[in-house]
Amino acid sequence: MSEKKASVLQGFKAFLMRGNVVDLAVAVVIGAAFTNIVNSVVKGIINPLIGAVGTKNLDSYSSCLKGPCTNTGDSATGVWILWGSVLGATLTFVITAAVVYFLMVLPMSKYLAKVEARRKAKEGTQEIIEVTELEVLKEIRDALVAQRGMGHSQR
């Protein structure tokens, strides 16, 4: 039983020490911090721009689906559709996705493509060198065989 516990703990330790788990933990922490920045941009820039047309708070945009609709919050009557909060969440998501794509995913993709191109070029050069060395070795072998053949015919 203790051997099984030890192997389970060793497996768990190996899982935690994998690069993917550590990368995921870092991504979650950075994502949480980044969410605050995006929320601030939406509340500080996007909402006031929308507020120039209507109200500054997107959450206050709603429509009455089935009346009579009076009040808001817990004392509301009727059926309200709170489309303003959905719009705010959608804007936050789109801005977050755009920033992540343009500042993280796109540069990383370009970097990885360059690294892969360099690796392929290096492999191609290595292949050419290996083929050239092979050709030289074949020529040396043929020359040695030819010399050996000449030596046998002169005796």
Side-chain angles (χ1 to χ4, degrees):
M1 185 83 165
S2 64
E3 288 179 23
K4 190 174 184 179
K5 265 188 179 179
S7 67
V8 169
L9 289 176
Q10 288 173 344
F12 184 66
K13 181 181 175 186
F15 169 74
L16 289 178
M17 299 313 275
R18 271 194 232 157
N20 295 345
V21 174
V22 174
D23 291 344
L24 181 62
V26 170
V28 167
V29 170
I30 289 177
F34 186 68
T35 299
N36 289 334
I37 293 171
V38 172
N39 286 337
S40 296
V41 168
V42 170
K43 288 179 183 174
I45 296 173
I46 305 296
N47 286 355
L49 290 175
I50 293 173
V53 176
T55 178
K56 191 174 180 181
N57 185 5
L58 286 179
D59 293 337
S60 66
Y61 286 101
S62 60
S63 297
C64 181
L65 184 65
K66 183 177 179 184
C69 294
T70 58
N71 298 334
T72 58
D74 292 336
S75 63
T77 60
V79 179
W80 289 92
I81 295 181
L82 306 174
W83 59 270
S85 59
V86 173
L87 178 64
T90 303
L91 287 173
T92 301
F93 172 76
V94 168
I95 291 170
T96 303
V99 170
V100 166
Y101 178 76
F102 289 113
L103 293 182
M104 295 177 192
V105 173
L106 193 60
M108 184 58 90
S109 295
K110 287 182 180 180
Y111 171 74
L112 291 176
K114 285 180 184 179
V115 168
E116 183 65 20
R118 282 189 211 138
R119 186 187 65 78
K120 284 184 179 180
K122 197 177 205 181
E123 281 181 5
T125 306
Q126 183 101 11
E127 263 182 43
I128 292 170
I129 291 171
E130 288 175 7
V131 169
T132 307
E133 288 176 1
L134 186 61
E135 292 295 323
V136 170
L137 289 172
K138 284 180 181 177
E139 289 176 13
I140 292 171
R141 179 198 65 199
D142 293 343
L144 288 173
V145 168
Q147 282 179 351
R148 207 178 279 164
M150 288 178 151
H152 288 294
S153 61
Q154 290 178 353
R155 286 188 194 176

